[in-house]
Amino acid sequence: MSAPVLAIAGLGVEIARQEAAPIAITRDVDLELHAGRTLALVGESGCGKSITALAVMNLLVAPLRVAAGSIDLKEQNIAALPPGSAALRAIRGRRIGMIFQDPMTALDPVYPVGEQIAEGLRLHLNLSRRAALARAVELLHLVGIPDAAERARTYPFQLSGGMRQRVMIAIAIACEPEVLIADEPTTALDVTVQAQILDLLRDLSTRMGMATLLITHDLGVVAENADEVAVMYRGRVVEQARVDALFAAPAHPYTRGLLASLPPVAGKRERLQPIPGQVPPAGADDQGCGFSDRCAFAMPVCRAGVPSLLAVGEGHRVACRLHDTNA
Ligand code: SF4
């Protein structure tokens, strides 16, 4: 595989506290994004997925901060750039685009959507207002909005949820970024629209050669829309593989639990099996494997130290004592 467009190495994010030790939110996260491919980051709420995305965009707000590691966009460590710096502004929206969960809060209610798409084009590509608006109409057409010229003049509240999310996608891809981050891009949408938006994202990522990070809590979404997958639990990556390998042979008990809790395929009568317990809050005691309190296979050795990610197949790594021959 070619060199990664974006390489996250040893990323640790923490909550700084005035008179107490910081609380770790993510630890030792290593991820690589490649051109034209989609990496899905999966896990329950509170596992550190969205925080990882915000760290990549350098959008963490105090008391959150990057405590360790690097985020290299090609050769540039963007985690080291000062917040608000010109270098960072030149990257955000230009070289890295982001699609947020809720377009209604991400879009500005008082500007027509065409103006909002044109803004990034004028800022990053120095297009004139007229040229930027013309390109905004083309982008609305590209993301499947009918009557694009007319819709460019409408305000977000005049559009359906699916249309608003298409506008968000148009904004994110306007400058043809090298990296696209989509954080739960379909959570706020109904099921039929979800599939259309995910198809659109997949198609655009492939056609434009973007390296895409798709954040989701839903492994069903991963199966159809990603090439590689990293499963996060309590701020760590616990399993990483190609999507086909992960679905064929999930190795971590947490991944198996996520798969067992997927709704059954139509026509099959299997029952949903939710994972017992809940993700503990950040800062809760995490001696050893963070999943040990919920794991049916937990052994005394599991609490003795944090399991390392070990290879169990080509490009397939898992952090679990069940697969550690030295345990
Ligand atoms: Fe379960 Fe132990 Fe594996 Fe953790 S290391 S997932 S507790 S078997």
Side-chain angles (χ1 to χ4, degrees):
M1 204 181 283
S2 57
V5 177
L6 188 97
I8 300 173
L11 182 66
V13 174
E14 65 185 18
I15 300 175
R17 296 191 293 174
Q18 290 256 308
E19 289 170 11
I23 296 173
I25 302 296
T26 72
R27 280 163 294 195
D28 304 323
V29 174
D30 295 337
L31 299 170
E32 287 187 350
L33 301 186
H34 292 266
R37 298 184 71 78
T38 296
L39 169 70
L41 198 52
V42 188
E44 292 163 285
S45 297
C47 287
K49 314 180 298 287
S50 293
I51 294 290
T52 301
L54 289 175
V56 171
M57 294 296 281
N58 208 324
L59 282 174
L60 294 175
V61 176
L64 283 166
R65 66 184 181 198
V66 171
S70 57
I71 302 169
D72 291 336
L73 177 63
K74 302 271 174 75
E75 273 86 42
Q76 188 173 22
N77 179 8
I78 52 179
L81 295 175
S85 63
L88 196 55
R89 285 199 303 276
I91 288 172
R92 229 187 258 146
R94 172 69 184 94
R95 299 183 63 194
I96 306 179
M98 184 156 183
I99 300 164
F100 296 91
Q101 245 176 63
D102 181 0
M104 205 50 196
T105 52
L107 293 171
D108 192 325
V110 300
Y111 287 102
V113 295
E115 298 270 2
Q116 297 189 49
I117 300 168
E119 190 183 336
L121 293 162
R122 296 177 70 191
L123 179 73
H124 294 296
L125 304 184
N126 274 330
L127 295 191
S128 66
R129 182 168 184 272
R130 191 190 179 109
L133 282 171
R135 179 66 184 141
V137 171
E138 286 173 12
L139 284 159
L140 285 173
H141 181 70
L142 182 69
V143 297
I145 293 192
D147 306 321
E150 195 177 315
R151 295 299 172 103
R153 292 192 287 272
T154 58
Y155 293 84
F157 76 89
Q158 294 174 297
L159 299 174
S160 67
M163 291 282 186
R164 285 197 290 267
Q165 197 55 295
R166 286 176 193 267
V167 171
M168 279 298 305
I169 294 171
I171 292 172
I173 65 165
C175 298
E176 302 187 7
E178 294 149 75
V179 175
L180 180 66
I181 299 175
D183 185 2
E184 304 272 10
T186 59
T187 302
L189 305 174
D190 65 44
V191 178
T192 47
V193 183
Q194 279 184 15
Q196 292 167 9
I197 294 291
L198 289 166
D199 281 352
L200 172 66
L201 271 179
R202 181 96 170 119
D203 179 49
L204 290 172
S205 297
T206 310
R207 269 202 285 159
M208 297 172 74
M210 291 180 292
T212 301
L213 180 65
L214 174 64
I215 293 172
T216 177
H217 61 276
D218 184 347
L219 268 174
V221 164
V222 173
E224 301 285 329
N225 297 288
D227 303 292
E228 282 93 29
V229 55
V231 180
M232 276 188 96
Y233 189 75
R234 295 187 70 185
R236 296 181 190 274
V237 174
V238 296
E239 185 162 9
Q240 197 162 10
R242 282 198 328 268
V243 166
D244 53 353
L246 187 105
F247 278 78
H252 197 284
Y254 178 60
T255 312
R256 289 187 216 147
L258 288 178
L259 282 167
S261 60
L262 280 178
V265 178
K268 290 198 175 178
R269 294 177 62 83
E270 295 152 15
R271 291 183 55 199
L272 286 182
Q273 294 171 4
I275 303 171
Q278 289 183 330
V279 183
D285 174 49
D286 64 346
Q287 292 280 307
C289 171
F291 191 58
S292 57
D293 289 346
R294 303 174 76 187
C295 180
F297 306 96
M299 307 167 276
V301 67
C302 300
R303 295 183 222 275
V306 177
S308 306
L309 276 167
L310 300 173
V312 291
E314 199 191 329
H316 190 166
R317 300 188 305 154
V318 63
C320 173
R321 299 286 179 196
L322 291 173
H323 302 275
D324 184 352
T325 49
N326 296 318

